[in-house]
Amino acid sequence: MNTVDAASFEAFRSLPSAMRELRQWLVWRFESYKGDKKPRKVPHYAGGHKRRGEQGSEADRAALCSFDEALAAVAQRGWDGLGFAFLPGDGLIGIDIDGAIDPQTGEVAPRCQAIVEACGSYTEFSPSERGVHIIVAGQTETFKDNRIGLEVFCGRQFFTCTGRRWAGTPAEVQPLQEGTLRRLRATVRGAKEQPPGDAPPAADGAKASARASRYCLAALDNAA
């Protein structure tokens, strides 16, 4: 039985051309593992095999497929969604901001809003709609801090794609400015320098005031 509805398929087709034109597509499904608090989004090749081994290797690249092939697999096999694999040399960076949207009020954490505005590129809601994925053109090393829910991927890992674009963001991938990349690194570095338990949460819910938002924007501008 297919788990993806017609509206989701329509949204998939609005994904940026910079991604759709690459043969770097996967499918994924929820899988539960002992000890985990929630199911994992596990990537599979469209042929049905779980993605394993070295990402970006010859075998990995050969098993990835086109956008249309992945879309057909989702329709025929009943996967939970569509996935895009970042590979070395593809010129794309994925920015994952997790737990940044209050599911009850829809309120967006100041940090998330500031990063979306600073990047100025294609941005979509994650499958849970509690976070966002930003796709930009550029090159960097991967860096992240799980405590603040901010991960920047390049050359590896994959994104679950929804096509549900954040209103007001471009429909296509835009270059990431070097200054913005420096500010993202500084944000992660600052979080890592804080003692365990002291890092601010990714989402502030109802406590996120306009003053806090302005402060966050100023902090991002000055972090470098």
Side-chain angles (χ1 to χ4, degrees), residues 12 22-29 41-47 49-52 55 60-61 63-67 69-74 79-87 157-161:
F12 289 153
L22 296 176
R23 193 176 179 83
Q24 295 178 205
W25 290 91
L26 297 155
V27 292
W28 62 271
R29 68 160 53 106
K41 302 179 186 72
V42 180
H44 289 68
Y45 299 115
H49 298 293
K50 188 176 297 186
R51 191 188 192 197
R52 289 194 175 95
Q55 295 181 13
D60 181 54
R61 290 175 184 267
L64 295 170
C65 67
S66 70
F67 172 78
E69 289 169 333
L71 206 60
V74 172
W79 300 97
D80 287 316
L82 196 65
F84 179 82
F86 294 96
L87 296 178
Q157 299 299 343
F158 87 108
F159 268 4
T160 55
C161 297

Side-chain angles (χ1 to χ4, degrees), residues 130-213:
R130 291 175 56 91
V132 300
H133 293 160
I134 308 170
I135 311 293
V136 295
Q139 184 66 38
T140 184
E141 75 286 351
T142 292
F143 58 93
K144 63 180 181 177
D145 189 280
N146 291 331
R147 292 184 300 167
I148 62 170
L150 176 58
E151 300 176 301
V152 179
F153 296 113
C154 186
R156 62 185 180 91
Q157 299 299 343
F158 87 108
F159 268 4
T160 55
C161 297
T162 65
R164 297 195 294 270
R165 183 157 55 101
W166 182 295
T169 63
E172 297 293 339
V173 172
Q174 304 298 317
L176 180 64
Q177 299 301 314
E178 183 58 35
T180 302
L181 181 58
R182 288 198 302 269
R183 292 194 289 273
L184 287 169
R185 289 196 189 105
T187 299
V188 169
R189 184 170 60 248
K192 289 182 179 297
E193 290 173 353
Q194 295 185 33
D198 287 350
D204 298 322
K207 297 180 181 179
S209 64
R211 179 181 178 185
S213 181

